[in-house]
Amino acid sequence: MTKSWQERAKEKRGSIHALIPHEWRIENPPVEKQVDVTGKYIRQYLTEREIEITETTADEIVKRTITGQWSAIEVTKAFCHRAALAHQLVVHCLHEIFFDAAIADARALDSYYAKHKKPTGPLHGLPISLKDQFHVKDVETTMGYVGWIGTFEGKTGTGKEKVFESEMVRELRNSGAVLYCKTSVPHTLMAGETVNNIIGYTLNPKNRNLSSGGSSGGEGALIGLRGSPVGFGTDIGGSIRIPAAFNGLYGIRPSVGRMPYEGMANSMDGQNSILSVVGPLATSVPSLRLVMKALLAQKPWLHDPLVHELPWRYEQEKEILELTGTIGDASKAGKLSFGVIRSDGLVNPTPPVRRAVEIVVKALENLGHEVIDWKPPSHKPLLDAGIKTWTFDGGADVKGAFALSGEPLSDQIAFYDALEKECSASDIAATNVRLRELKKEYMEYWNSTAEVTSTGRPVDAVVSPLAPFPAARPGMYTYYGYSGFVNVLDYTSVVVPVTNVDKGVDKVDVGYAPIDDVDKRVYESYDPEIYNGAHVSIQLVGRRLQEEKMLAIAEYVGKAVGK
Amino acid sequence: MTKSWQERAKEKRGSIHALIPHEWRIENPPVEKQVDVTGKYIRQYLTEREIEITETTADEIVKRTITGQWSAIEVTKAFCHRAALAHQLVVHCLHEIFFDAAIADARALDSYYAKHKKPTGPLHGLPISLKDQFHVKDVETTMGYVGWIGTFEGKTGTGKEKVFESEMVRELRNSGAVLYCKTSVPHTLMAGETVNNIIGYTLNPKNRNLSSGGSSGGEGALIGLRGSPVGFGTDIGGSIRIPAAFNGLYGIRPSVGRMPYEGMANSMDGQNSILSVVGPLATSVPSLRLVMKALLAQKPWLHDPLVHELPWRYEQEKEILELTGTIGDASKAGKLSFGVIRSDGLVNPTPPVRRAVEIVVKALENLGHEVIDWKPPSHKPLLDAGIKTWTFDGGADVKGAFALSGEPLSDQIAFYDALEKECSASDIAATNVRLRELKKEYMEYWNSTAEVTSTGRPVDAVVSPLAPFPAARPGMYTYYGYSGFVNVLDYTSVVVPVTNVDKGVDKVDVGYAPIDDVDKRVYESYDPEIYNGAHVSIQLVGRRLQEEKMLAIAEYVGKAVGK
């Protein structure tokens, strides 16, 4: 008799747990007793040395591993331990655990180093976590679907099961990285919260009343707990940036064609009007830069037909470093010009997000930079075109994935049930034309800001909320406009952590007049008591394919706000 | 009473002719009396000075116009005259004539030069012809559709009629170019011959038994007759390269995202699985390089959301120049490695094309380069996916355009009548996945050639037929595989003219055994008597976004074969 989806999910959940060594197993305190499990709380289970290693940023770790100061195996074990703890504390953030393979890989890296007295690559000995869309040999990819258990992307007999590796996996290994776990996602990947029928709901470790975000929510929770120094997520409507923002991390959404997506599992694969992109999340900007530079050094455009031949462009970075006086003659430093989105006019940010935006604006102005009001074409048509695009197939792909096992859709993505009709080629073509027109209009608005800045240049970046709330409360993620417009425009965007909710400061506005029902629901989901302590972040939006420039600006802004 | 489509077409045809000054009108000799109207034939109507100007390549023209040696007005008038003659001799190659505006623009350029003692830009005073997809103010765009006469892309009351300009038009004007005519296309743009109900059929001026090619056939015929020094066409299945090859010209199909397509009219706009690209045709490689560099200097990525930020990369060019000993220490020059496609296994090239390929192979080998057999994955699935993509909408767009006036489809595109069903979103997504897989497979084959070359690098370029015949005979263009596979893969390709048909040499093979019916029809369309004298060209195929490298190689190969 075939097993029920419940049994299969339970088995899989159990098999993940079984891969946690007994000595690393802990009791998970009830949320009401322990809201915040980061920092001091998780440290109680770790040695001083493990804490030292796991609280070092990726760029600082490799400085030690490539010089032989730290061994790959010690670093790897420390992160495996902390990741195992993280998984148990946010119930759950890991879909796949392969600590043994990681330790074997780390041992091989150490042997290489001992023999050749040099590292294998720029990421030598660096543990990197991966969202459960990456294929890694000897490991499954379920993407949270019960029906994908024991298959290759829902199919059997492909010969690829547990053998095939995604292109980026190959490149990371070539660069010396150690892969050790894959992280949780919401089934379909189309939600800003992470929940599926296999591992349950991934909580926010900083405030377990809240979501860790999605769809790269496992990455967010894991890195938020320092169970990984840097990890890769994907983003089609905010899925890298949402978990980065909710967990107080830096995260970049590169433009399409910058990082290799080749050979990864996906939802609605082949929808190519607004593409999902892959990019890193980490605790520092130099960590993001490190892994992106390492990947570009592998010339991914020779192995992924969708990647453009754009090596790392230091000139872009240098321009910002000079303008901010970070390098060169400080007396010659210039000024940056920022736009600021205080509200997109559709849904207002809640009080802590408003405060975070103002903190950034003040910090920039205090440093002598210019911040002007961003008055772009309405985001409404952009978001409408985005929603249309993301549902071109009327839910066919998603429904097919659920039908494999008979498991139910979570509430977060229940809207798929209401979808019926597939769009026709003519519909899709018309949407593509519309998308191009909207991009052109926005682009010309951006160009036009050269007329209002004092630098004579169009604004360098736009300070914007990433979501209306610091993090969503479970089941209450109802507005994606702040993250989504960036995907529709294919802009570069970097999330910067700014502050934490302070219930004494971030009070609810008395007599708030909501714009409409969506705005009302968002606003009412904010409760200072519940949100207290949560991370609050913003995003810095740049033009298309401006990854080097935007990382330089994000690092500068991060320092300016003291994160 | 509304006019019939016949009347409207005749009026339009007449209005084009009416713009040719009386003193430039000539008798058109019957084809049987004068097969070749290039060279000596057309020169009889021109002054020595006009011949000197119009037979100078674009790059050499601007050397004179930017230094004030030649005036913009003299150059412009010479090309207007020769274009007017061309139009009459190939019945017809122009859709729009705006000589008066061009002369006024040229006068303004001369005034600027006289006043400022410097040119307005790198294309100062250079006449450039445009395929009738570009929108130019004060001028119509019909794209060969009777139903588009008096409209903006088939619509009325848009406010854009005769006012709106395509992005590249703006950039060309900014660079100092003079625009003076728009050239003929087959209605739908989906044919390798140029025919429509407005201007008729565009003949090949070198051999008027043959087609000038398509869909940029007007460009091919016009430049073939030196009625333009350089012009822009578009290419979704060969439409730049076919007319370049048929008319003995150089032409480049850049990869998607290199040159600005923004604001141009198109067929099936919004089909974004295999995009049409825009690129130049000219009588020399330096002419192509000139206009591409000028456009990139305008930073088109700031005005076209689909253009990548890729300025002209001299390093790519330099690498080839050094390897070929063109620059640097000749004794240190290296070797290039080429693949050669003698047949794609689906349809064999006819005898003159086979000979052209061997001429190139011999020339390269004599220069010390390596030529290996190109044994890629079969082109069949690539072409199948291409054909599927180009008919996603079941002909809806095309049928709509014909329905506007009630005019009939030409035989060349009658296949649209048989199409019915639109593809669904799921179909399209599956095709997109397939296209990506095929690209990945071909890419890895290309990578793998590093193992068989003596350079240790993958092959630098592939020598391939561009079409199975030197040019199509009217109504006999039945196989697009040699040009089309490049579009499916989004590779860079440059057409290089090699030789001319010699009926004494390029004989029909006795007892040729055709592969199948398509091959048989293609083979039987070749007749040495009919083809004698026709241009024969090949294409050099490079990887994606390798425009600088491929132009350098094409220039080198062109010199090697003496064209």
Side-chain angles (χ1 to χ4, degrees):
Chain A
M1 211 187 96
T2 15
K3 286 175 192 156
S4 68
W5 70 261
Q6 290 92 339
E7 286 170 296
R8 294 170 68 193
K10 194 179 165 194
E11 266 180 28
K12 178 74 187 174
R13 186 163 55 247
S15 74
I16 300 165
H17 190 69
L19 288 163
I20 297 176
H22 284 277
E23 62 274 24
W24 292 352
R25 296 193 187 175
I26 56 171
E27 285 297 314
N28 180 30
V31 171
E32 51 283 9
K33 282 189 83 174
Q34 191 64 40
V35 170
D36 179 357
V37 294
T38 64
K40 216 163 66 176
Y41 189 84
I42 192 170
R43 282 190 203 121
Q44 66 177 302
Y45 302 110
L46 297 159
T47 66
E48 281 300 312
R49 178 66 171 163
E50 285 174 324
I51 293 167
E52 182 194 0
I53 290 170
T54 53
E55 298 191 6
T56 301
T57 58
D59 55 304
E60 291 294 330
I61 289 172
V62 296
K63 282 183 193 159
R64 292 162 179 76
T65 53
I66 65 173
T67 51
Q69 288 173 265
W70 286 1
S71 73
I73 205 153
E74 189 181 19
V75 172
T76 298
K77 280 183 176 168
F79 278 104
C80 288
H81 187 189
R82 195 154 178 159
L85 301 175
H87 181 65
Q88 298 169 80
L89 292 171
V90 297
V91 291
H92 299 283
C93 63
L94 302 182
H95 277 185
E96 301 292 334
I97 288 174
F98 37 108
F99 297 158
D100 289 349
I103 290 165
D105 289 346
R107 189 169 288 125
L109 290 170
D110 287 336
S111 300
Y112 181 95
Y113 196 96
K115 189 170 170 192
H116 301 279
K117 308 286 177 241
K118 63 173 188 182
T120 53
L123 306 181
H124 183 90
L126 180 70
I128 292 183
S129 51
L130 303 171
K131 185 177 186 176
D132 193 21
Q133 288 180 259
F134 286 85
H135 292 296
V136 175
K137 76 170 155 40
D138 298 330
V139 178
E140 229 168 39
T141 305
T142 67
M143 239 170 57
Y145 288 129
V146 176
W148 281 26
I149 296 169
T151 73
F152 182 80
E153 301 182 359
K155 295 180 217 62
T156 50
T158 65
K160 292 184 174 178
E161 291 87 343
K162 294 199 182 182
V163 178
F164 181 80
E165 294 211 317
S166 303
E167 167 59 18
M168 195 192 276
V169 168
R170 190 186 67 78
E171 294 175 10
L172 291 171
R173 290 193 196 277
N174 269 357
S175 311
V178 176
L179 309 176
Y180 65 116
C181 63
K182 293 205 293 174
T183 55
S184 59
V185 304
H187 44 209
T188 75
L189 310 174
M190 299 303 282
E193 304 171 53
T194 292
V195 57
N196 64 60
N197 294 316
I198 300 173
I199 57 95
Y201 192 98
T202 308
L203 295 171
N204 188 313
K206 184 69 184 170
N207 182 332
R208 297 197 298 169
N209 295 309
L210 305 173
S211 164
S212 66
S215 67
S216 314
E219 284 300 322
L222 180 66
I223 305 173
L225 275 169
R226 306 297 182 265
S228 166
V230 60
F232 281 91
T234 63
D235 193 320
I236 195 172
S239 287
I240 289 169
R241 291 164 293 149
I242 293 165
F246 289 12
N247 291 284
L249 306 172
Y250 290 88
I252 180 168
R253 182 228 176 252
S255 289
V256 171
R258 199 71 207 269
M259 292 275 109
Y261 211 106
E262 174 65 33
M264 284 171 65
N266 203 355
S267 281
M268 291 166 278
D269 193 16
Q271 178 281 97
N272 71 345
S273 299
I274 300 176
L275 283 167
S276 172
V277 295
V278 56
L281 301 83
T283 52
S284 76
V285 171
S287 302
L288 303 179
R289 191 182 290 124
L290 169 76
V291 292
M292 288 185 72
K293 281 179 79 166
L295 288 168
L296 292 175
Q298 297 277 319
K299 303 190 176 180
W301 48 87
L302 294 180
H303 298 280
D304 181 334
L306 303 186
V307 172
H308 313 317
E309 185 180 340
L310 284 173
W312 183 263
R313 297 162 298 182
Y314 177 63
E315 322 79 67
Q316 272 202 9
E317 196 181 335
K318 191 173 163 223
E319 193 190 342
I320 300 304
L321 295 175
E322 286 175 344
L323 281 169
T324 54
T326 311
I327 61 165
D329 185 347
S331 68
K332 287 183 187 159
K335 186 196 266 192
L336 294 178
S337 178
F338 293 83
V340 60
I341 297 179
R342 289 190 166 89
S343 170
D344 66 7
L346 304 168
V347 167
N348 290 321
T350 54
V353 176
R354 280 189 341 227
R355 184 167 63 85
V357 169
E358 295 311 322
I359 289 172
V360 173
V361 169
K362 281 276 153 50
L364 290 170
E365 287 177 342
N366 288 343
L367 286 161
H369 302 293
E370 178 177 65
V371 184
I372 64 166
D373 281 337
W374 191 245
K375 296 171 182 165
S378 168
H379 287 188
K380 181 76 167 58
L382 287 169
L383 301 171
D384 289 347
I387 289 165
K388 167 133 190 154
T389 301
W390 295 316
T391 55
F392 273 159
D393 77 351
D397 176 79
V398 163
K399 289 172 193 169
F402 282 96
L404 289 172
S405 70
E407 65 178 323
L409 285 72
S410 62
D411 293 344
Q412 281 77 0
I413 51 145
F415 63 92
Y416 277 108
D417 269 336
L419 300 176
E420 278 183 16
K421 231 174 125 251
E422 293 218 17
C423 285
S424 69
S426 293
D427 278 350
I428 292 173
T431 306
N432 289 336
V433 171
R434 184 82 184 115
L435 286 167
R436 195 181 65 219
E437 289 169 349
L438 292 166
K439 285 176 183 175
K440 169 71 172 164
E441 195 185 5
Y442 213 96
M443 168 177 251
E444 292 300 343
Y445 169 68
W446 199 308
N447 290 333
S448 77
T449 60
E451 293 157 28
V452 292
T453 62
S454 62
T455 60
R457 301 188 308 272
V459 302
D460 295 293
V462 178
V463 179
S464 167
L466 183 276
F469 26 61
R473 284 166 66 184
M476 297 172 88
Y477 208 136
T478 44
Y479 184 69
Y480 291 93
Y482 287 102
S483 55
F485 85 93
V486 168
N487 300 79
V488 177
L489 294 168
D490 193 21
Y491 284 170
T492 317
S493 171
V494 185
V495 160
V496 177
V498 177
T499 185
N500 294 83
V501 176
D502 179 340
K503 65 180 177 182
V505 176
D506 300 311
K507 297 182 179 167
V508 172
D509 304 276
V510 178
Y512 176 78
I515 299 170
D516 63 9
D517 276 358
V518 179
D519 184 55
K520 185 164 183 278
R521 269 190 291 165
V522 166
Y523 200 83
E524 289 178 354
S525 75
Y526 175 67
D527 179 329
E529 289 298 330
I530 290 171
Y531 272 86
N532 194 42
H535 292 292
V536 196
S537 309
I538 57 97
Q539 67 180 333
L540 292 166
V541 180
R543 305 182 83 153
R544 184 168 161 252
L545 294 170
Q546 299 295 301
E547 291 78 12
E548 295 88 342
K549 175 177 178 171
M550 292 312 298
L551 285 177
I553 293 178
E555 187 170 9
Y556 180 76
V557 172
K559 278 184 190 144
V561 297
K563 277 274 181 174
Chain B
M1 214 187 96
T2 14
K3 286 175 192 156
S4 69
W5 70 260
Q6 290 91 340
E7 286 171 295
R8 293 169 67 195
K10 192 179 169 195
E11 265 181 29
K12 178 74 188 173
R13 186 163 55 247
S15 76
I16 300 166
H17 190 69
L19 287 163
I20 296 177
H22 283 277
E23 62 275 24
W24 292 353
R25 297 194 186 174
I26 56 171
E27 284 299 313
N28 181 30
V31 170
E32 53 282 11
K33 282 190 81 172
Q34 190 64 40
V35 170
D36 179 357
V37 293
T38 65
K40 216 165 64 178
Y41 189 85
I42 191 170
R43 282 189 203 121
Q44 67 177 302
Y45 301 110
L46 297 159
T47 66
E48 280 302 311
R49 178 66 171 163
E50 284 174 323
I51 293 167
E52 181 194 1
I53 289 170
T54 53
E55 297 191 8
T56 301
T57 58
D59 54 305
E60 291 293 331
I61 289 172
V62 296
K63 281 183 194 159
R64 292 162 179 77
T65 52
I66 66 174
T67 52
Q69 288 173 264
W70 285 1
S71 73
I73 205 152
E74 187 180 20
V75 172
T76 299
K77 279 184 177 167
F79 279 102
C80 288
H81 186 189
R82 195 152 178 161
L85 300 175
H87 182 64
Q88 298 169 81
L89 292 172
V90 296
V91 288
H92 299 283
C93 63
L94 302 183
H95 276 185
E96 300 291 335
I97 287 174
F98 37 107
F99 298 158
D100 288 349
I103 290 166
D105 288 346
R107 188 170 287 125
L109 290 170
D110 287 336
S111 300
Y112 181 94
Y113 198 96
K115 188 169 169 193
H116 300 280
K117 308 286 177 242
K118 62 172 190 185
T120 53
L123 306 181
H124 183 91
L126 180 70
I128 292 183
S129 51
L130 303 171
K131 186 177 186 176
D132 193 22
Q133 287 180 259
F134 286 85
H135 292 297
V136 175
K137 74 170 158 39
D138 298 330
V139 178
E140 230 167 38
T141 304
T142 67
M143 239 168 59
Y145 288 130
V146 176
W148 280 26
I149 297 169
T151 73
F152 181 80
E153 301 182 0
K155 295 181 217 62
T156 49
T158 65
K160 291 185 175 179
E161 292 87 343
K162 295 198 181 183
V163 177
F164 180 80
E165 294 211 318
S166 303
E167 169 59 18
M168 195 191 276
V169 168
R170 189 187 67 79
E171 293 174 10
L172 290 172
R173 291 192 195 278
N174 269 358
S175 310
V178 176
L179 308 177
Y180 65 116
C181 64
K182 292 205 295 174
T183 55
S184 59
V185 303
H187 44 208
T188 75
L189 310 174
M190 298 304 282
E193 303 171 53
T194 291
V195 56
N196 64 60
N197 294 316
I198 299 174
I199 57 96
Y201 192 96
T202 308
L203 296 170
N204 188 313
K206 184 69 184 170
N207 181 332
R208 296 196 300 168
N209 295 309
L210 306 172
S211 164
S212 66
S215 65
S216 315
E219 283 300 321
L222 179 66
I223 306 173
L225 276 168
R226 308 295 183 265
S228 166
V230 59
F232 281 90
T234 64
D235 193 320
I236 196 172
S239 288
I240 289 169
R241 291 164 292 148
I242 293 166
F246 289 11
N247 292 284
L249 306 173
Y250 291 89
I252 180 169
R253 182 229 176 251
S255 289
V256 171
R258 199 72 209 270
M259 290 276 109
Y261 212 106
E262 173 66 33
M264 283 171 65
N266 203 354
S267 281
M268 291 166 278
D269 193 17
Q271 179 280 97
N272 70 345
S273 298
I274 300 176
L275 284 167
S276 172
V277 295
V278 56
L281 302 81
T283 51
S284 76
V285 171
S287 302
L288 303 179
R289 192 181 289 123
L290 170 76
V291 292
M292 288 186 72
K293 282 179 78 166
L295 287 169
L296 292 174
Q298 296 277 319
K299 303 189 175 182
W301 50 86
L302 295 179
H303 297 280
D304 182 334
L306 303 186
V307 172
H308 313 317
E309 185 180 341
L310 284 172
W312 184 263
R313 297 161 299 180
Y314 177 63
E315 320 80 66
Q316 274 203 6
E317 196 181 335
K318 192 174 163 221
E319 194 190 339
I320 300 304
L321 295 176
E322 286 175 344
L323 281 169
T324 53
T326 311
I327 61 166
D329 186 347
S331 67
K332 286 184 188 160
K335 186 195 267 191
L336 295 179
S337 177
F338 293 83
V340 60
I341 297 178
R342 289 190 167 89
S343 171
D344 65 6
L346 304 169
V347 167
N348 291 321
T350 55
V353 175
R354 278 188 344 227
R355 184 167 62 85
V357 169
E358 295 312 323
I359 289 173
V360 173
V361 169
K362 281 278 154 48
L364 289 170
E365 287 177 342
N366 287 344
L367 287 162
H369 302 293
E370 177 177 66
V371 183
I372 64 165
D373 280 338
W374 191 245
K375 297 170 182 165
S378 168
H379 287 187
K380 181 74 167 58
L382 287 170
L383 301 172
D384 289 346
I387 289 164
K388 168 133 188 152
T389 301
W390 295 316
T391 54
F392 273 159
D393 78 350
D397 176 79
V398 162
K399 289 172 192 168
F402 282 98
L404 289 172
S405 69
E407 64 178 324
L409 284 72
S410 63
D411 292 344
Q412 281 78 358
I413 51 146
F415 64 92
Y416 277 108
D417 268 337
L419 300 176
E420 277 183 16
K421 230 175 127 251
E422 294 218 15
C423 285
S424 70
S426 293
D427 278 350
I428 292 173
T431 306
N432 289 336
V433 171
R434 183 84 183 116
L435 287 168
R436 195 181 65 219
E437 288 168 350
L438 293 166
K439 285 177 184 176
K440 169 70 172 164
E441 195 186 3
Y442 213 96
M443 169 178 253
E444 291 301 344
Y445 169 68
W446 200 309
N447 290 333
S448 77
T449 59
E451 293 156 28
V452 292
T453 62
S454 62
T455 60
R457 301 189 308 272
V459 303
D460 295 294
V462 178
V463 179
S464 167
L466 184 276
F469 26 60
R473 284 166 65 185
M476 297 172 87
Y477 207 136
T478 45
Y479 184 68
Y480 291 93
Y482 287 102
S483 56
F485 85 95
V486 168
N487 299 78
V488 177
L489 294 167
D490 193 21
Y491 283 170
T492 317
S493 173
V494 185
V495 161
V496 177
V498 177
T499 185
N500 293 83
V501 176
D502 179 340
K503 65 180 177 182
V505 176
D506 301 312
K507 296 182 179 169
V508 172
D509 304 276
V510 178
Y512 176 77
I515 300 170
D516 63 7
D517 277 358
V518 179
D519 184 55
K520 185 166 185 277
R521 269 190 290 165
V522 166
Y523 199 83
E524 290 179 353
S525 77
Y526 175 66
D527 180 329
E529 289 297 330
I530 290 172
Y531 272 86
N532 194 41
H535 293 292
V536 195
S537 310
I538 57 95
Q539 67 179 332
L540 292 166
V541 181
R543 306 182 81 152
R544 184 168 160 253
L545 294 170
Q546 299 296 301
E547 291 78 11
E548 295 87 342
K549 176 177 178 170
M550 291 313 298
L551 285 177
I553 293 179
E555 186 170 9
Y556 181 76
V557 172
K559 277 182 192 147
V561 298
K563 277 272 180 175

